Each structure stands twice: as C-alpha cells, then as structure tokens.
Amino acid sequence: MPKIVYCSFCKRPIKPGEGVMYVRVDGTIERYCSSKCFKSAVKLHRNPRKTKWVVKST
Ligand SMILES: [Zn+2]
C-alpha cells in the first residue's frame, strides 16, 4: 500500500504515480507535486514561505 507523500515545496499531498521525484546529490529524496513546484525549488531556489501560491501550513 503506497503511503501518502507530500510535496517538498508546497506541502500538498501527492497521489501515487503523480508528481516528480528528485534525488539531490547528497542522497536526499524530494517529491514535488508538479513541474511548477520542481522548477521553483530546484531551478529557481525559491523559499516556499516567500512564494505566494504556496498554502501556508500554520
Ligand atoms: Zn507542490
């Protein structure tokens, strides 16, 4: 049974088979719900707290 994974950027739950899996050089596995989150985190190095469309988890 696949466990629920959450987007490393916007913290939204990702359905099995969806999203992007990214492995950093240091071995850290990160999951992103969409290419939008992937690009924001990996290519643009955005801070989720400073990104307007990210739902705040308070
Ligand atoms: Zn996301």
Side-chain angles (χ1 to χ4, degrees):
M1 186 172 171
K3 62 176 181 178
I4 300 166
V5 288
Y6 293 91
C7 178
S8 298
F9 192 70
C10 69
K11 309 301 178 192
R12 271 181 257 210
I14 307 170
K15 291 174 190 170
E18 283 188 357
V20 185
M21 194 177 84
Y22 176 72
V23 183
R24 288 188 180 272
V25 183
D26 59 10
T28 309
I29 297 169
E30 293 180 344
R31 296 289 301 263
Y32 298 102
C33 65
S34 61
S35 58
K36 180 181 166 185
C37 285
F38 175 72
K39 284 178 195 167
S40 297
V42 177
K43 293 187 178 176
L44 303 173
H45 302 288
R46 279 183 186 156
N47 186 339
R49 287 171 171 267
K50 290 179 181 175
T51 309
K52 285 182 178 178
W53 49 262
V54 168
V55 179
K56 288 177 185 171
S57 53
T58 46

